[in-house]
Amino acid sequence: MKKNQAIRLALSVAGACAIVAGASAAAPDSKRMIVAFKPGAAAHAKAAVLAAKGAIEHEIFSMNAMSVTLPAGALKSLQNNPSVEYVEPDVIRTPFALATPSTGTPYATGQLVPYGIPMVLAGLLPEGDSHTGNRTVCIIDSGVDALHEDLNGNQFKGIHDNGTGDWFTDELHHGTHVAGTIAAINNADKGVVGVNPGMLLNIRIVKVFGADGWAYSSTLASAANQCGDNGANVISMSLGGAFSSKTEQKAFDALAAKGVLSVAAAGNDGNSRISYPAGYDSVMMVAALDENKTWAPFSQYNRKVEIAAPGVAVLSSVPTDTGSASSLKVGATVYAPGGMDGSPRATVSAQWADFGLGGSVVANSMRGKVCLIARGTYEFGVKVKNCQLSGGVGAVVYNNVAGSFGGTLGTTTGIVIPAVTASNTEGAAIKGQPGAIAALAVTKASYAYFDGTSMATPHVAAVAALVWSYFPTCTAAQIRASLGKSAEDLGALGRDNKYGYGLVRAKAAYDHINTLGCGN
């Protein structure tokens, strides 16, 4: 697992919002346009806009261009103005959300749909997931919060282990996240949905990780065999290690011979090393993609990678109230902050102030303010602690490169103020609101965004169970082959070391078997 510290879920959000700043009242036939003017002609272009009874909405930073609102009848004359290079529509941009609200089809309203669910075409099979009752998925992991609002009601069974504790507890939060991707329930107004959201899938839990977060290969071999003895059709393993084990391999080879499909994570070291158990021929190795179907840089790549699935910023369940949800509003603008792992849970509202790189231990200008801090030079914990020592009441660390990110306060102790992250674009936007009030909150949540091939693996295991439920006479080997043959080819043509055969797709696999049969 690679845990994404950017926990960006806001449970009260009904949908993504497009915020257009600087708009003014305009005539009913007015249009928002971008006017690009020739070098040195800014004054003439502005005069032409005003003469046409237009309004200047926004001057584009570092470009000879501005956004304006114009009466429709003025467009042609402005286009012909010798100071103007071109005129084009100022088209709308909205945030791309990693989870979107359900419209009611096929999932109940009030459900957040993680991007991975439609990406693997999980909701497109006929009759939804009504056939999944005859398949059993065994999750070998850190246990599960079986009473979680989005999991309670599933057909869970588990095995108690004296070393790791009760299967229905999860100290690492990892197993609960995996279980949510596989089977979060389609229950209106509660959380998310999984690949199999109808509570018909049989789920077996074998807990190999306790609070210390590690286990032996012997423990894994035992767990796999327990899965087999408990009727598993598919085994999901978001785990691994660098060295192979003959005992472990024999266990998985024997399970494959008995008709069990084992699925495991490729690993998160971003190199070409083979991890195990994913590296055994009898196990299907899974790589990670982001929401754009692009290979995740942390995902290990090698000749054993067989298939790929969503594994970046995957939203799923974590044990009740153990996650953190971050929110940020500056002035009238609502942002989508990333989480800072280790941040205290607190809510503050105060004017923001620029704290630079956060390297100053005492800066009196921060007293009573929310510190806006640039990423770089100093560790996150040092930046936030310095903000606190300077009298700051909260901290926002914004990126120094494109995109959002998640951070961690690490080993820095004594931090009592809340902290979140922001993209470079968001940081620049906040700087454009001097003196504005920043309302920042880090609150309890039962859902979180994680990264990792750990998150990709349950997508594949769940798709395998879903498709197999429609064709129960197919063998595990035939289901495995069909998933590869129906995958969306990504990267180099054919199988490659980063994507394998490509993105797993439930509907395409169903169509493949429905048309050609199990063995083709």
Side-chain angles (χ1 to χ4, degrees):
M1 175 193 77
K2 179 177 179 181
K3 184 177 178 181
N4 181 8
Q5 314 302 344
I7 299 175
R8 290 167 284 187
L9 175 64
L11 297 180
S12 62
V13 172
C17 300
I19 300 167
V20 182
S24 58
D29 66 340
S30 292
K31 294 185 178 181
R32 179 103 172 195
M33 309 295 290
I34 291 176
V35 177
F37 45 86
K38 296 174 183 177
H44 293 292
K46 290 179 181 178
V49 169
L50 296 176
K53 300 188 184 302
I56 297 170
E57 304 289 355
H58 174 67
E59 295 187 42
I60 301 175
F61 179 75
S62 195
M63 292 186 72
N64 293 323
M66 56 190 170
S67 175
V68 306
T69 302
L70 287 169
L75 290 178
K76 189 170 183 179
S77 64
L78 195 61
Q79 288 169 329
N80 293 331
N81 190 292
S83 297
V84 173
E85 185 175 345
Y86 63 84
V87 180
E88 67 174 358
D90 192 2
V91 294
I92 296 294
R93 295 288 183 261
T94 59
F96 288 132
L98 296 176
T100 55
S102 172
T103 60
T105 305
Y107 306 115
T109 54
Q111 295 285 270
L112 283 173
V113 183
Y115 77 89
I117 304 303
M119 185 183 287
V120 301
L121 309 184
L124 300 181
L125 296 186
E127 300 180 55
D129 64 351
S130 61
H131 291 274
T132 55
N134 62 0
R135 296 295 92 180
T136 298
V137 173
C138 190
I139 302 172
I140 301 177
D141 213 293
S142 60
V144 65
D145 177 5
L147 296 180
H148 191 285
E149 65 175 7
D150 230 5
L151 295 173
N152 186 18
N154 271 299
Q155 300 183 52
F156 283 119
K157 290 184 180 179
I159 300 169
H160 177 81
D161 184 278
N162 289 331
T164 58
D166 292 324
W167 64 269
F168 47 83
T169 62
D170 178 12
E171 296 82 5
L172 295 184
H173 307 177
H174 191 257
T176 301
H177 199 276
V178 166
T181 294
I182 292 172
I185 298 169
N186 184 19
N187 49 351
D189 300 321
K190 291 183 181 179
V192 298
V193 290
V195 173
N196 297 273
M199 297 184 290
L200 297 173
L201 186 68
N202 299 311
I203 305 174
R204 302 291 176 263
I205 305 295
V206 182
K207 183 174 180 175
V208 296
F209 301 125
D212 53 5
W214 62 278
Y216 289 105
S217 60
S218 57
T219 304
L220 179 56
S222 292
N225 289 331
Q226 288 174 318
C227 286
D229 285 350
N230 280 270
N233 303 110
V234 180
I235 299 176
S236 181
M237 296 173 287
S238 294
L239 50 82
F243 302 102
S244 63
S245 159
K246 183 180 292 186
T247 302
E248 199 177 67
Q249 180 175 357
K250 288 176 68 175
F252 287 108
D253 288 352
L255 287 165
K258 293 177 182 178
V260 178
L261 175 57
S262 297
V263 183
N268 299 326
D269 290 337
N271 57 32
S272 60
R273 190 162 188 170
I274 296 174
S275 293
Y276 298 92
Y280 304 131
D281 289 343
S282 51
V283 179
M284 196 173 193
M285 182 184 282
V286 183
L289 309 175
D290 66 16
E291 70 272 21
N292 298 313
K293 302 182 184 178
T294 301
W295 172 78
F298 59 75
S299 186
Q300 284 168 233
Y301 54 94
N302 52 62
R303 59 185 174 82
K304 290 291 188 176
V305 172
E306 188 167 339
I307 204 159
V312 177
V314 173
L315 177 62
S316 188
S317 48
V318 292
T320 303
D321 288 342
T322 61
S324 292
S326 301
S327 64
L328 176 64
K329 181 179 180 181
V330 180
T333 304
V334 177
Y335 295 97
M340 189 70 76
D341 194 48
S343 168
R345 290 170 178 162
T347 300
V348 298
S349 182
Q351 282 187 328
W352 71 269
D354 193 341
F355 195 35
L357 286 168
S360 175
V361 176
V362 178
N364 291 329
S365 59
M366 295 300 109
R367 187 164 301 280
K369 304 291 180 62
V370 170
C371 303
L372 181 65
I373 311 172
R375 186 178 184 181
T377 308
Y378 305 101
E379 294 181 354
F380 296 135
V382 172
K383 293 172 181 287
V384 176
K385 186 66 174 287
N386 286 344
C387 169
Q388 178 178 308
L389 292 172
S390 298
V393 297
V396 179
V397 181
Y398 66 92
N399 213 346
N400 54 2
V401 295
S404 302
F405 72 105
T408 177
L409 296 181
T411 59
T412 306
T413 59
I415 295 176
V416 297
I417 63 173
V420 301
T421 70
S423 69
N424 59 333
T425 303
E426 290 170 333
I430 293 170
K431 284 190 171 184
Q433 302 180 72
I437 298 297
L440 184 160
V442 179
T443 56
K444 290 181 180 180
S446 301
Y447 304 86
Y449 289 94
F450 286 0
D451 288 341
T453 52
S454 280
M455 286 54 258
T457 298
H459 282 94
V460 175
V463 166
L466 177 59
V467 174
W468 204 350
S469 71
Y470 290 91
F471 308 101
T473 60
C474 291
T475 67
Q478 288 169 337
I479 292 295
R480 178 176 178 176
S482 295
L483 294 184
K485 290 176 181 178
S486 61
E488 181 180 349
D489 193 5
L490 301 169
L493 186 64
R495 201 211 75 83
D496 62 77
N497 288 351
K498 289 185 175 180
Y499 296 91
Y501 291 108
L503 169 65
V504 68
R505 299 184 296 173
K507 180 61 164 61
Y510 170 90
D511 290 342
H512 179 88
I513 299 173
N514 196 43
T515 302
L516 300 175
C518 292
N520 298 296

